[in-house]
Amino acid sequence: MLELVTTDRGQRDDAEGVETAATLESLLLQVAQGDAQSFSELYDRTAARVLGLVRRVLIDHSQSEEVTQEVLLEVWRTAPRFEQARGSAMSWILTMAHRRAVDRVRSSQSSHDRDEKIGLRDIEADYDSVSETVEIRIEHERVKRAMTQLTALQREAISLAYYGGYSHTEVAALLSVPVGTVKTRLRDGMIRLRDALGVTS
């Protein structure tokens, strides 16, 4: 059966709400002094709301319980930092709970991402080594044939620069020609190689 709420009842409920909030704040101030009994009462009054908030963020019940315990332990340790002028005790506690829950989500995500990267790194890609070796040999033969279509000077410059690992300056010194000449030979030789191999740029 529904009950008609009068103005007096509504005012009484409001007054009780204010009284509860004031009680939480006074309890928190006593906890800041190291009062274990006040902490026990504060715990009983706030644990359910903290758990509810944390569970909305984490979903997983066991993790939510764990984080709730961490939050309330943090309340015990950091109670002296509570500033009544900046907000209610419940807001302070719930803000702490929300931050801790979000940190747990981020930590879990980072751990998952790290495990996934390690897992992917450890997966050895399947490949056919015989097939790969054959392809490399065929490609090597194609390049070798294409090199025969270059002038002797181009072939010599490319061999020193790309197979010998020499710089343009070193190739110029070895061939006793200016660096500009080496660059021209290399450029022209690479164009002819590209055309011979059918490579499109």
Side-chain angles (χ1 to χ4, degrees):
M1 183 171 142
L2 295 174
E3 182 184 345
L4 180 63
V5 178
T6 63
T7 309
D8 291 343
R9 172 72 182 275
Q11 288 173 345
R12 195 162 62 247
D13 286 348
D14 289 345
E16 286 171 3
V18 170
E19 185 180 319
T20 301
T23 302
L24 288 179
E25 289 165 8
S26 63
L27 284 173
L28 191 52
L29 292 172
Q30 289 169 25
V31 170
Q33 302 299 317
D35 185 347
Q37 184 60 42
S38 295
F39 178 70
S40 178
E41 191 175 338
L42 183 74
Y43 185 99
D44 291 342
R45 289 182 180 221
T46 60
R49 284 191 66 187
V50 170
L51 178 61
L53 172 66
V54 171
R55 192 162 184 193
R56 279 197 298 276
V57 176
L58 294 180
I59 312 299
D60 181 76
H61 187 71
S62 60
Q63 275 199 45
S64 299
E65 286 180 336
E66 190 178 312
V67 170
T68 298
Q69 292 296 324
E70 290 172 7
V71 168
L72 291 166
L73 182 61
E74 189 177 351
V75 168
W76 169 256
R77 284 196 318 258
T78 62
R81 295 187 205 157
F82 170 65
E83 296 177 27
Q84 196 169 348
R86 296 182 68 182
S88 72
M90 198 70 228
S91 296
W92 186 72
I93 293 169
L94 291 178
T95 299
M96 196 180 298
H98 186 262
R99 284 183 187 146
R100 185 64 75 117
V102 169
D103 286 347
R104 177 63 67 95
V105 169
R106 287 179 181 150
S107 175
S108 294
Q109 186 62 46
S110 294
S111 178
H112 173 75
D113 291 348
R114 188 170 50 251
D115 290 346
E116 195 171 278
K117 281 181 185 174
I118 289 170
L120 289 173
R121 185 193 66 199
D122 291 344
I123 294 172
E124 193 170 318
D126 292 335
Y127 70 96
D128 183 348
S129 61
V130 174
S131 174
E132 188 176 335
T133 304
V134 170
E135 285 179 23
I136 290 170
R137 283 186 184 161
I138 291 171
E139 194 61 32
H140 181 70
E141 287 301 319
R142 284 185 67 216
V143 171
K144 209 166 153 183
R145 277 195 306 273
M147 288 282 281
T148 62
Q149 297 178 24
L150 303 179
T151 65
L153 296 173
Q154 289 171 340
R155 192 168 39 253
E156 195 172 18
I158 287 175
S159 294
L160 288 170
Y162 293 99
Y163 294 112
Y166 293 102
S167 68
H168 292 171
T169 307
E170 290 169 332
V171 172
L174 288 167
L175 298 179
S176 303
V177 295
V179 175
T181 304
V182 168
K183 289 181 179 178
T184 302
R185 287 180 186 173
L186 288 172
R187 187 193 69 232
D188 293 345
M190 291 305 290
I191 290 170
R192 289 184 73 175
L193 268 180
R194 185 190 66 204
D195 293 343
L197 293 168
V199 177
T200 56
S201 56

